[in-house]
Structure formats: structure tokens, C-alpha cells
Amino acid sequence: MDTLLEINLQLFSVIGTIAFAISGAVVAMEEEYDILGVFVLALVTAFGGGVIRNLLIGVPVTTLWEQGMFLKTAVVSAFLVFLVPVSWILRWKTWESLFDAIGLAAFAIQGALYATKNGVPLSAVMVAAMMTGIGGGIIRDVLAGRKPLVLRDEIYAVWALLAGLMIGLGWFQGSWALLLLFALVVIMRMLSVTYKWRLPRRTIQLQQEPREPKSGV
């Protein structure tokens, strides 16, 4: 069972790393960053959520440097995106929501599995799933000077939370069950985008009263 868990962790880690590294690299080029900025945003997007998750569940952050294969995967993905023609990137932008959903699902499941492996409570498994899925995107948007889309866009983080809940409760175990959960999260995220499902929100707009002109002396 431990071997199967490790295989699942590796699979979803690779999928999420590629999807989010591409996302970070594209955002960097949209903001006209140089090649160093492209690599930085790609790596931050791919690994930022995992770093936050490790901090929350008490895993040393230095374990990041043991993930040599994933670091190389992210760097190669970003480099290829930097080299491909603009027309390809524009075509990818058409499918951006799908790749983003794939990254969210993969990292949410990976984060939940990682937390389960470390024997943390159910609440921590849910938070680990959510932060692994959305943490990198939040840091990416902040570094790019944007409002984090995951906090104001269509329903996003909720699907990661629910994935963590289902894994933490033991409802999805084994490769096929996890692949089914992966597909469900991707489908629900895409439905959110298609039909503009949003969580309740409340906007407060403070209107400043016009100042009276000062009378002359």
C-alpha cells in the first residue's frame, strides 16, 4: 500500500508541476519579464503551494531540495514555453482554464495524499489539499502585481477542499479511485468556469463625501 501511495504521489506531482510551471511562465511573459523572471514565476507557481503545505503540517521546507526531478521538470517546462512561438502560447491560452483545472486537481490530491502519509488530522488534510492546489497561484499573482484570481474568480479552492475531505475520509483509495477523483475535480472546475459559478460575495464601496471649497479670506 505504501508503494502504491508513492506511485500516486509521483504521478500527481508530475502532472501538477508541468501544468503550474507552464501557467507561471505564461503569466511572466504576459507581464514582459525577462527569462529569469519566467523561471522564477514558473518555479514559484509549481512549488509555492507545496512549501506552504509543508509549513502548515510541520514538514521541513528543506525537503523541497530533495525533489530534483520535479525541479528539473518545472525548469524544462518553463524553458520550452519561453522558446515556443507566440501563436502556440496564444493557442494554449485558449485552453488555459483546462490546464489550470488539471494543475489544481493534481496538486490538491497530491497535497492530501502527502498529508495523509504524515498522519495529520482531517482538517489538516483538507487545508493541505487546498494550499497545495492554490498556494502557488496566489504567490504567482502577487509577484505579477495581480489580484489573486483564485480568491475572486469562479469557484476554485472549494474543489480542492472537497478533494482533501474525500481523501481524508478514505472514500478514494487506490490508483483508479484517485484518477476518478482527479477527473471529478477537473470537471467541476470546468463547469464552474463555463457556468460562472461563484461563491457569495459582498462588496463595500466607500463613497467619499465631496469636500466643501474653502472660502477665501
Side-chain angles (χ1 to χ4, degrees), residues 146-175:
R146 302 179 175 185
K147 293 181 179 179
L149 294 176
V150 301
L151 300 180
R152 62 184 180 91
D153 205 356
E154 297 84 11
I155 296 177
Y156 193 93
V158 171
W159 305 127
L161 274 174
L162 291 177
L165 174 63
M166 293 177 184
I167 291 176
L169 292 174
W171 292 356
F172 287 83
Q173 296 182 356
S175 296

Side-chain angles (χ1 to χ4, degrees), residues 15-164:
I15 295 173
T17 297
I18 294 173
F20 277 179
I22 293 174
S23 172
V26 170
V27 169
M29 288 187 287
E30 288 178 344
E31 298 296 328
E32 300 182 355
Y33 290 3
D34 60 19
I35 189 170
L36 177 60
V38 170
F39 284 127
V40 168
L41 275 197
L43 291 172
V44 162
T45 309
F47 297 100
V51 170
I52 296 173
R53 175 204 63 211
N54 288 352
L55 287 171
L56 291 174
I57 65 177
V59 176
V61 179
T62 53
T63 55
L64 172 65
W65 308 120
E66 301 172 5
Q67 302 179 20
M69 182 187 74
F70 301 118
L71 288 168
K72 292 175 183 176
T73 300
V75 169
V76 170
S77 299
F79 185 64
L80 291 177
V81 171
F82 187 80
L83 293 179
V84 298
V86 175
S87 60
W88 289 22
I89 297 176
L90 294 177
R91 192 174 304 155
W92 178 87
K93 289 290 289 181
T94 305
W95 299 92
E96 181 180 12
S97 296
L98 176 59
F99 280 96
D100 190 63
I102 290 172
L104 171 71
F107 269 178
I109 293 173
Q110 185 251 28
L113 290 174
Y114 194 80
T116 302
K117 178 183 175 182
N118 284 272
V120 299
L122 176 61
S123 58
V125 174
M126 294 174 62
V127 172
M130 182 183 69
M131 294 312 302
T132 309
I134 73 172
I138 291 176
I139 300 174
R140 174 202 65 202
D141 290 341
V142 170
L143 290 179
R146 302 179 175 185
K147 293 181 179 179
L149 294 176
V150 301
L151 300 180
R152 62 184 180 91
D153 205 356
E154 297 84 11
I155 296 177
Y156 193 93
V158 171
W159 305 127
L161 274 174
L162 291 177

